[in-house]
Amino acid sequence: MSTHNSYYIPNKATWPIVGTVGLFCLLAGFANYLNGSAIGVTWMILGLGVFVIMLAGWFTLQAIESESGMYNTQVGISYRMGMMWFIFSEIMFFAVFFGTLWYTRNLSVPWLGGEGTNAATREFLWPTFDAIWPTNGPAHLGGKIVDGKSTGEFETMHAWGIPFLNTLILLTSGVTCTWAHHGLLAKNRDQLIKGLIATVVLGFLFVSFQAFEYHEAYTEMGLTLGSGIYGSTFFMLTGFHGLHVCIGAIILSVVLFRSWKGHFQPENHFAFEAAAWYWHFVDVVWLGLFIFVYIM
Amino acid sequence: MSAVVAEHDHDHHDHGPAGGIKRWIVTTNHKDIGTLYLVFALAMFFVGGAMAMVIRAELFEPGMQFVQPQFFNSMTTMHALVMVFGAVMPAFVGLANWMIPMMIGAPDMALPRLNNMSFWMLVAGISLLASTLVMEGGAPASGWTLYPPLVLQTGKALPFAIFSVHLLGISSIMGAINIIATVFNMRAPAMTLMKMPLFVWTWLITAFLLIAIMPVFAGAVTMLLTDKFFETSFFDAAGGGDPVLYQHIFWFFGHPEVYVMILPTFGVASTIIPVFARKPLFGYSSMVYATASIAFLSFIVWAHHMFLVGMPMAGELYFMYATMLIAIPTGVKVFNWTATMWKGSLTFETPMLFSIAFVVLFTMGGFTGLMMAIAPADFQYHDTYFIVAHFHYTLVPASIFILMAAGYFWLPKWTGHMYNEKIGKLHFWLSAVSVNILFFPQHFLGLAGMPRRIPDYAVQFADWNMISSIGGFIFGASQLLFLYIVVDTIKGGTGEKVTDEVWEDASKHGLEWTLPSPPPYHTFTTPPTAIPTEHF
Ligand code: HEM
Ligand SMILES: [Cu+2]
């Protein structure tokens, strides 16, 4: 804390209010859209536009300040703490959906099927329901559509096809990301850039495979958001994860662009570290998904 | 002086605030942002208070008098959401912003831009929430817990309420991250962790709670959204889901959430009482450890809100015993405050009066909590006015009283002016008496079986309801005195020029009292080396 005297305190900040207005419009627009109002989408696009401009503007500002040496070690520590705790909040967000999967699969679905002291539940509510995972519930919601009617039948995704491939892709991208970091530390810019390109490409490849998988699920397998608790948990978990892969890949693209511009030094590269941490976090969540959603 | 801090600033001519209204929109200064939070919270306190007045007016007599049942339920729901997310939490964030840098010897908060955004996200979230009041189908009327399937019957307001929770969550998480980074990274070198004032300690722990629980609430309401609009069946048994799952997730958030409102309260009380007892806090480290254990326990007791949903017996027993455990660290705290006052040279200025009332009345709320922790007994208390009395005792004469105490305690420091002690004492006595007229009878009503969240009731509940309503009106009206005092003090108060330490020997208790009153725009441009020791 010896560097206390030169802690960087910005005088004014205009981007926060811009970002808030953008997000407000985006969400208010989305809510209007969900309520069936015609202007909702316009507000969403407008809000998203403002929000993206804010991101671009704010991060450009941060990059300029960082490169001109305004941040000392202590400022860097604040940023690192900020990123760490942000990732922790994300972990808790995913924990909700993992918890939901665990609870429904191990507790509430068996109870519906009459387990424990719940024989009467089954008897009076859904006497024909057999609690076998995967399930779309006693009402057999959703499922494949035949002749315009849903059959209530759905298939689940095989773990050892595309999902396994995606596991390999993400794990490899974790390695290339670390390889890029080594390049940065060794002042080997070529390795840094190549490693980042590989990571970003693998990231987007993952997303493309996942999009393909979703397409299959919706068109061939009768597996949709509407196919009961299995479909709900499946798409909620993989969907939010996919979204995070997209965000991570975009962040890494920005880092790639900055590396190519000559930014980052072995002793000063917070943005790189933050992006890498985020990427590894997304990686670990995927491993959880692969085990608990696909394999088990 | 400030040249050191602002040496990289682009605006070399100006190290103070921007002019006019723009100052408040683009500010990154912890004092400005603290003021914004506090003013916003005070405004929301009156908005939420007005809703409470509607509730008490309707309940003044049996029968329907003023409002429709649907609107009545909207009022209980919105009153709670506005008070929790708009008043109490922001007020404590405001105090954190003002006081933490001053208490730990820092120039400002660690992440000033994030700080600004966290405030505006709060305004955006509350605006979205408030907008539901004028929507087709009315504001949410399901109770602040937003339980499905009832909440899914909300009209156009539903997605707005859900997104407002998202925005409020983002705001809280940003604020909490900032506080953690500030406490860990910005302390003056001499300010070791176990020398920190308890307000800083309690906020540090609260910040951990916030980062852990706000995403959980966000996840829960996201599932409500997809259940309503995207065909999922998380909370629908027909698809294999379970409405009780929502309650588990909500209370995993909800129970720590009530501690988010009480832990900083403990911190302020532990700061004020030693100053007016003219003694060090009786047990500093036991207070720190008690706070940490309460925070830990708060994560493993959530289902005491759900004793009646039909949990397995093992669950009932576990959550009963775990909940009772909380009484231990809570008792440590209460004894601590009491022992601090024991044989002290007490004086009873307004902040001290509010603090003593807090110790006594919070303990009452704790005791009723303990009663409800007994699962079989809670079968009688659950969803009656007894629980309404319980949590109002833990929130109004506890959190709100301590916020008032904090106002009286620090306003002279913030403004450089002294408040009017006579009116302050009047405010205290009116509040302390009326809050008991308001909430104590609700224990009787609950034990006699009056359910919560209903606009009408059987005639045998009439007397106590009328008394409660009268207490409510007096309490509500008395709070206008506080508004008057705040405005008056900002404008110059009694005209008496306050000293740096404001209260006798306060500078032995905390760094903030070594600064001028009002303190300079940038707090500690060079870290202080001498740490006051009376608080530990
Ligand atoms: C000694 C510590 C405490 C214990 C043992 C305790 C216990 C309980 C129990 C068992 C309930 C559920 C009652 C029911 O629904 O039947 C409850 C409700 C509640 N408690 Fe506490 N409590 C304690 C302290 C607090 C504190 C410090 C606060 C807030 C600052 C608080 C706020 C609430 C609220 C808001 C509810 C009602 C939630 C709702 O249903 O809307 N409690 N408490
Ligand atoms: Cu609780």
Side-chain angles (χ1 to χ4, degrees), chain A residues 170-191:
Chain A
L170 267 199
L171 287 179
T172 315
S173 76
V175 174
T176 54
C177 183
T178 306
W179 188 67
H181 196 187
H182 283 298
L184 200 172
L185 294 177
K187 296 204 171 179
N188 183 345
R189 194 132 301 251
D190 196 43
Q191 182 179 333

CSV table of all heavy atoms in Angstrom, one decimal, chain A residues 170-191:
chain,number,residue,atom,x,y,z
A,170,LEU,N,-13.6,-26.9,-25.8
A,170,LEU,CA,-13.4,-25.9,-24.8
A,170,LEU,C,-12.1,-26.2,-24.0
A,170,LEU,O,-11.4,-25.3,-23.6
A,170,LEU,CB,-14.6,-26.0,-23.8
A,170,LEU,CG,-15.7,-25.0,-24.1
A,170,LEU,CD1,-16.6,-24.8,-22.9
A,170,LEU,CD2,-15.2,-23.6,-24.6
A,171,LEU,N,-11.9,-27.5,-23.7
A,171,LEU,CA,-10.6,-27.8,-22.9
A,171,LEU,C,-9.4,-27.3,-23.7
A,171,LEU,O,-8.5,-26.7,-23.2
A,171,LEU,CB,-10.5,-29.3,-22.6
A,171,LEU,CG,-11.5,-29.8,-21.6
A,171,LEU,CD1,-11.4,-31.3,-21.4
A,171,LEU,CD2,-11.3,-29.0,-20.2
A,172,THR,N,-9.4,-27.6,-25.0
A,172,THR,CA,-8.3,-27.1,-25.9
A,172,THR,C,-8.2,-25.6,-25.8
A,172,THR,O,-7.1,-25.1,-25.7
A,172,THR,CB,-8.5,-27.6,-27.3
A,172,THR,OG1,-8.9,-28.9,-27.3
A,172,THR,CG2,-7.3,-27.4,-28.2
A,173,SER,N,-9.3,-24.9,-25.9
A,173,SER,CA,-9.3,-23.5,-25.9
A,173,SER,C,-8.7,-23.0,-24.6
A,173,SER,O,-8.0,-21.9,-24.5
A,173,SER,CB,-10.7,-22.9,-26.1
A,173,SER,OG,-11.4,-23.0,-24.9
A,174,GLY,N,-8.9,-23.7,-23.5
A,174,GLY,CA,-8.3,-23.3,-22.2
A,174,GLY,C,-6.8,-23.4,-22.3
A,174,GLY,O,-6.1,-22.5,-21.8
A,175,VAL,N,-6.3,-24.4,-23.0
A,175,VAL,CA,-4.9,-24.6,-23.2
A,175,VAL,C,-4.3,-23.5,-24.0
A,175,VAL,O,-3.3,-22.9,-23.7
A,175,VAL,CB,-4.6,-26.0,-23.8
A,175,VAL,CG1,-3.1,-26.1,-24.1
A,175,VAL,CG2,-5.0,-27.1,-22.8
A,176,THR,N,-5.0,-23.2,-25.2
A,176,THR,CA,-4.5,-22.2,-26.0
A,176,THR,C,-4.4,-20.8,-25.4
A,176,THR,O,-3.5,-20.0,-25.6
A,176,THR,CB,-5.3,-22.1,-27.3
A,176,THR,OG1,-6.7,-21.9,-27.0
A,176,THR,CG2,-5.1,-23.3,-28.2
A,177,CYS,N,-5.4,-20.6,-24.5
A,177,CYS,CA,-5.5,-19.3,-23.8
A,177,CYS,C,-4.3,-19.2,-22.8
A,177,CYS,O,-3.6,-18.1,-22.8
A,177,CYS,CB,-6.8,-19.3,-23.0
A,177,CYS,SG,-7.1,-17.8,-22.1
A,178,THR,N,-4.0,-20.3,-22.1
A,178,THR,CA,-2.8,-20.3,-21.2
A,178,THR,C,-1.5,-20.1,-22.0
A,178,THR,O,-0.6,-19.4,-21.6
A,178,THR,CB,-2.8,-21.6,-20.4
A,178,THR,OG1,-4.1,-21.7,-19.8
A,178,THR,CG2,-1.7,-21.5,-19.4
A,179,TRP,N,-1.5,-20.8,-23.2
A,179,TRP,CA,-0.3,-20.7,-24.1
A,179,TRP,C,-0.1,-19.2,-24.5
A,179,TRP,O,1.0,-18.7,-24.4
A,179,TRP,CB,-0.5,-21.6,-25.3
A,179,TRP,CG,0.7,-21.7,-26.2
A,179,TRP,CD1,1.9,-22.3,-25.8
A,179,TRP,CD2,0.8,-21.3,-27.5
A,179,TRP,NE1,2.7,-22.3,-26.9
A,179,TRP,CE2,2.1,-21.6,-28.0
A,179,TRP,CE3,-0.1,-20.6,-28.4
A,179,TRP,CZ2,2.5,-21.3,-29.2
A,179,TRP,CZ3,0.4,-20.3,-29.7
A,179,TRP,CH2,1.6,-20.7,-30.1
A,180,ALA,N,-1.2,-18.5,-24.8
A,180,ALA,CA,-1.1,-17.1,-25.2
A,180,ALA,C,-0.6,-16.3,-24.0
A,180,ALA,O,0.2,-15.4,-24.2
A,180,ALA,CB,-2.5,-16.6,-25.6
A,181,HIS,N,-1.0,-16.7,-22.8
A,181,HIS,CA,-0.6,-15.9,-21.6
A,181,HIS,C,0.9,-16.1,-21.4
A,181,HIS,O,1.7,-15.1,-21.1
A,181,HIS,CB,-1.3,-16.5,-20.4
A,181,HIS,CG,-1.2,-15.5,-19.2
A,181,HIS,ND1,-1.7,-15.9,-17.9
A,181,HIS,CD2,-0.7,-14.3,-19.0
A,181,HIS,CE1,-1.4,-14.9,-17.1
A,181,HIS,NE2,-0.8,-13.9,-17.7
A,182,HIS,N,1.4,-17.3,-21.6
A,182,HIS,CA,2.9,-17.6,-21.5
A,182,HIS,C,3.6,-16.7,-22.5
A,182,HIS,O,4.7,-16.1,-22.2
A,182,HIS,CB,3.2,-19.0,-21.8
A,182,HIS,CG,2.9,-19.9,-20.5
A,182,HIS,ND1,3.5,-19.7,-19.3
A,182,HIS,CD2,2.0,-20.9,-20.4
A,182,HIS,CE1,3.0,-20.6,-18.5
A,182,HIS,NE2,2.1,-21.3,-19.0
A,183,GLY,N,3.0,-16.6,-23.7
A,183,GLY,CA,3.6,-15.8,-24.8
A,183,GLY,C,3.7,-14.3,-24.3
A,183,GLY,O,4.7,-13.7,-24.5
A,184,LEU,N,2.6,-13.8,-23.7
A,184,LEU,CA,2.6,-12.5,-23.2
A,184,LEU,C,3.7,-12.3,-22.2
A,184,LEU,O,4.5,-11.3,-22.2
A,184,LEU,CB,1.3,-12.2,-22.6
A,184,LEU,CG,0.8,-10.7,-22.4
A,184,LEU,CD1,-0.6,-10.7,-22.0
A,184,LEU,CD2,1.6,-9.9,-21.5
A,185,LEU,N,3.8,-13.2,-21.2
A,185,LEU,CA,4.8,-13.1,-20.1
A,185,LEU,C,6.2,-13.1,-20.7
A,185,LEU,O,7.1,-12.5,-20.2
A,185,LEU,CB,4.6,-14.2,-19.1
A,185,LEU,CG,3.3,-14.1,-18.3
A,185,LEU,CD1,3.2,-15.2,-17.3
A,185,LEU,CD2,3.2,-12.7,-17.6
A,186,ALA,N,6.4,-14.0,-21.8
A,186,ALA,CA,7.8,-14.1,-22.4
A,186,ALA,C,8.0,-13.0,-23.4
A,186,ALA,O,9.0,-13.1,-24.1
A,186,ALA,CB,7.9,-15.5,-23.0
A,187,LYS,N,7.2,-12.0,-23.5
A,187,LYS,CA,7.3,-11.0,-24.5
A,187,LYS,C,7.3,-11.5,-25.9
A,187,LYS,O,8.0,-11.0,-26.8
A,187,LYS,CB,8.5,-10.1,-24.3
A,187,LYS,CG,8.5,-9.4,-23.0
A,187,LYS,CD,9.4,-8.2,-23.0
A,187,LYS,CE,9.2,-7.3,-21.7
A,187,LYS,NZ,9.9,-6.2,-21.6
A,188,ASN,N,6.6,-12.6,-26.1
A,188,ASN,CA,6.5,-13.2,-27.4
A,188,ASN,C,5.2,-12.9,-28.0
A,188,ASN,O,4.2,-13.6,-27.9
A,188,ASN,CB,6.7,-14.8,-27.3
A,188,ASN,CG,6.7,-15.5,-28.7
A,188,ASN,OD1,6.3,-14.9,-29.7
A,188,ASN,ND2,7.2,-16.7,-28.7
A,189,ARG,N,5.1,-11.8,-28.7
A,189,ARG,CA,3.8,-11.3,-29.2
A,189,ARG,C,3.2,-12.2,-30.2
A,189,ARG,O,2.0,-12.3,-30.2
A,189,ARG,CB,4.0,-9.9,-29.8
A,189,ARG,CG,2.7,-9.1,-30.0
A,189,ARG,CD,2.7,-7.7,-29.5
A,189,ARG,NE,3.0,-7.5,-28.1
A,189,ARG,CZ,2.0,-7.1,-27.2
A,189,ARG,NH1,0.8,-7.0,-27.5
A,189,ARG,NH2,2.3,-6.9,-25.9
A,190,ASP,N,4.0,-12.8,-31.0
A,190,ASP,CA,3.5,-13.7,-32.0
A,190,ASP,C,2.7,-14.9,-31.3
A,190,ASP,O,1.6,-15.2,-31.7
A,190,ASP,CB,4.7,-14.3,-32.8
A,190,ASP,CG,4.3,-14.9,-34.0
A,190,ASP,OD1,3.4,-14.3,-34.7
A,190,ASP,OD2,4.7,-16.0,-34.4
A,191,GLN,N,3.3,-15.5,-30.3
A,191,GLN,CA,2.6,-16.5,-29.6
A,191,GLN,C,1.3,-16.0,-28.9
A,191,GLN,O,0.3,-16.7,-29.0
A,191,GLN,CB,3.6,-17.1,-28.5
A,191,GLN,CG,3.0,-18.3,-27.8
A,191,GLN,CD,4.0,-18.8,-26.7
A,191,GLN,OE1,5.2,-18.7,-26.9
A,191,GLN,NE2,3.5,-19.4,-25.7
